[in-house]
Amino acid sequence: MAAGLGRFVEVGRKIVCVGRNYSEHAAELGNKLPTEPVIFIKPTSSYITEGNAIKFPPGCSNLHHEVELGVVIGKEGSNISETSAMQHIGGYTLALDMTARDIQDNMKKKSLPWTLAKGFDTSCPVGSFIPIEKIPDPQNVGIWLKVNDAMRQNGHTKDMIFKVPFLISFISQYMRLDVGDLILTGTPAGVGPVTAGDVITCGLSDIATMSFKVSSD
Amino acid sequence: MASRIVNFVKEGRKIIGVAMNYRDLAKATGASIPKKPLVFLKATSAYIEEGTPIQTPPECKELFQEVELGVIIGKTGSKIPKASVMDYIGGYTLALDMTAMDFLREARQTGGSWELYKGFDTACPVGKFIPKAKIPDPHNVGLWSKVNGELKQNGNSKDLIFDVPTIISHVSNYMTVEEGDLILTGSPAGICQVNPGDKITCGFSDIAEMTFHVADK
């Protein structure tokens, strides 16, 4: 394992996110199915680990949860082929792509960049580093999320439109992937708002779980 | 001085861009003046320094060059009041905000993400670190760019729609800015397409100058 991979939160230099990668999720937001992956970036300043609370960014009244399988890059590369993509994976993590949905919708309507709606502080809660041995097939993992113990998202990574090797290959045609970079691979249907005081619990099958509170500040 | 400020290219963890931030550019393109800074991100893997050529990203037919004043953050902070921003600046740099303009135009129309079209590899050519003292007033810096010797941009940062304290204060209300972060503050009128084989020279008055070549296909 490349040195420092377990500390990807501290050493990683980018978080690359994939939007609309589960067909039912695309439909629930009224979006067309993409012909190629929708790619955006979250800054590393958005990382939080368990024990820290998720906070509403300024001007947001509609903060959505999105549970995702995160892929941690273990070997750098550009123009990576699909067939060698799996060799570039150093490990995995559980992640939440917290989204200020109202800010995002408003910016999209005005043809403006919606970066702040996805990149605010605390918008990327992550769990512990998961070694690759624990997830031999990233397309065969259950992914679920509860808010205050009520199930909201309950999907499976076999339903990804663009699979992990394709995503790694596609992204790396545009942006070099470095050791410690994180790729968030999309979220299944069931995204919805949280309010201050809520507790989000989520997991990957029985491999990993994590819990975050939404701050009442 | 902390190394992360001077070594921002290798160690910085984010690059923030601000769109449509010069009055003359808004006038030239007929764009409306934004009400708030329009923030996007460039991946840190986009950095290149002199000597490395700029690459046209896959399928892009309209690669644009845009000269910008880059502000390097010297001290970590969030929710920074405008009056304190200058204390958080660690230095400056000359930068080009290379853009896949054809794809960006389409993304704006469909509400898509900007980041692939702003953050592809080699999309952030930068110059040397410029100490704070060399630019006592960042709101009175001449910015110019030439393509193959022909003057394309010739502006001054006094023409900024949102000044440096406004930009940094606004960004820091959403995202903590960290030592070594780079903030690109926008580009004046005259942004233009460049083609494989072109030579871009740009500078700040007589304070700094740099040259980059666009790689042949």
Side-chain angles (χ1 to χ4, degrees):
Chain A
M1 180 172 91
L5 214 48
R7 293 173 45 234
F8 68 90
V9 168
E10 290 147 49
V11 306
R13 292 185 84 204
K14 63 178 173 290
I15 304 167
V16 184
C17 308
V18 182
R20 298 193 218 171
N21 199 28
Y22 286 73
S23 50
E24 284 180 28
H25 168 61
E28 77 183 340
L29 291 186
N31 287 325
K32 289 203 279 252
L33 283 188
T35 49
E36 59 178 35
V38 173
I39 304 293
F40 60 95
I41 299 181
K42 277 165 131 40
T44 51
S45 47
S46 61
Y47 274 134
I48 48 167
T49 51
E50 274 185 288
N52 294 291
I54 294 163
K55 297 185 181 171
F56 277 74
C60 169
S61 314
N62 195 12
L63 180 62
H64 275 208
H65 59 76
E66 300 192 1
V67 63
E68 317 222 347
L69 169 66
V71 174
V72 182
I73 297 297
K75 186 171 111 171
E76 82 155 50
S78 312
N79 299 310
I80 299 166
S81 68
E82 266 186 79
T83 44
S84 53
M86 294 299 285
Q87 293 160 34
H88 290 263
I89 299 178
Y92 299 92
T93 190
L94 184 47
L96 287 169
D97 173 14
M98 298 307 295
T99 304
R101 194 69 72 200
D102 45 0
I103 297 177
Q104 186 187 36
D105 287 346
N106 193 29
M107 297 304 266
K108 278 189 178 184
K109 230 173 21 196
K110 299 178 184 166
S111 303
L112 297 176
W114 35 271
T115 303
L116 290 181
K118 285 283 193 181
F120 54 93
D121 286 349
T122 77
S123 65
C124 197
V126 288
S128 317
F129 176 78
I130 301 168
I132 45 177
E133 303 79 52
K134 285 212 148 186
I135 302 187
D137 181 6
Q139 309 307 152
N140 190 18
V141 180
I143 179 163
W144 57 269
L145 179 146
K146 293 179 181 178
V147 178
N148 302 332
D149 279 332
M151 188 69 86
R152 295 272 187 89
Q153 295 183 268
N154 195 9
H156 198 283
T157 59
K158 66 172 164 41
D159 294 326
M160 276 189 205
I161 297 169
F162 302 105
K163 310 289 188 235
V164 170
F166 180 87
L167 292 174
I168 290 173
S169 178
F170 180 83
I171 293 165
S172 72
Q173 308 298 317
Y174 292 86
M175 305 193 238
R176 186 190 73 239
L177 291 171
D178 291 323
V179 172
D181 282 352
L182 179 67
I183 301 177
L184 297 190
T185 57
T187 199
V191 302
V194 288
T195 51
D198 281 350
V199 175
I200 299 172
T201 315
C202 56
L204 298 169
S205 299
D206 53 3
I207 301 163
T209 65
M210 66 185 189
S211 195
F212 282 88
K213 197 160 181 188
V214 180
S215 170
S216 44
D217 266 321
Chain B
M1 179 182 294
S3 73
R4 193 186 266 191
I5 302 167
V6 176
N7 294 327
F8 67 97
V9 171
K10 300 246 168 10
E11 301 188 28
R13 297 185 88 202
K14 62 178 172 292
I15 303 169
I16 288 164
V18 179
M20 194 47 71
N21 199 30
Y22 274 76
R23 293 186 195 284
D24 62 355
L25 182 63
K27 202 163 164 202
T29 58
S32 48
I33 302 282
K35 297 195 175 63
K36 285 194 254 197
L38 303 178
V39 177
F40 61 92
L41 287 166
K42 283 169 103 67
T44 48
S45 39
Y47 273 133
I48 49 169
E49 294 176 281
E50 274 184 290
T52 302
I54 294 165
Q55 302 285 345
T56 308
E59 325 241 317
C60 168
K61 304 224 172 0
E62 286 183 60
L63 178 65
F64 265 56
Q65 65 86 25
E66 309 185 1
V67 67
E68 315 221 347
L69 170 64
V71 178
I72 301 164
I73 299 294
K75 197 167 85 169
T76 296
S78 57
K79 306 203 190 301
I80 303 168
K82 281 195 220 180
S84 312
V85 165
M86 294 308 284
D87 294 339
Y88 284 78
I89 295 177
Y92 300 95
T93 190
L94 185 46
L96 285 167
D97 176 16
M98 301 306 294
T99 302
M101 196 58 87
D102 42 356
F103 288 112
L104 186 69
R105 210 178 281 130
E106 199 185 308
R108 293 192 59 213
Q109 275 164 22
T110 58
S113 162
W114 291 26
E115 271 103 41
L116 270 189
Y117 314 123
K118 285 285 193 181
F120 52 90
D121 287 346
T122 76
C124 199
V126 289
K128 299 187 182 43
F129 173 80
I130 301 171
K132 211 166 158 180
K134 278 213 148 189
I135 302 186
D137 181 7
H139 303 107
N140 192 16
V141 176
L143 279 85
W144 59 268
S145 69
K146 293 181 180 177
V147 177
N148 299 330
E150 194 184 317
L151 189 66
K152 296 287 183 182
Q153 295 181 276
N154 194 12
N156 190 296
S157 58
K158 62 173 156 47
D159 204 30
L160 282 170
I161 294 170
F162 300 106
D163 63 13
V164 172
T166 303
I167 295 169
I168 293 177
S169 180
H170 177 75
V171 170
S172 77
N173 285 335
Y174 293 85
M175 307 189 218
T176 299
V177 292
E178 297 171 304
E179 248 183 54
D181 282 353
L182 178 66
I183 319 264
L184 301 183
T185 56
S187 198
I191 62 171
C192 64
Q193 182 166 345
V194 289
N195 297 303
D198 280 352
K199 175 171 130 176
I200 306 170
T201 318
C202 59
F204 294 151
S205 307
D206 53 3
I207 301 166
E209 186 175 314
M210 65 186 191
T211 297
F212 282 87
H213 289 90
V214 181
D216 282 314
K217 279 223 153 78

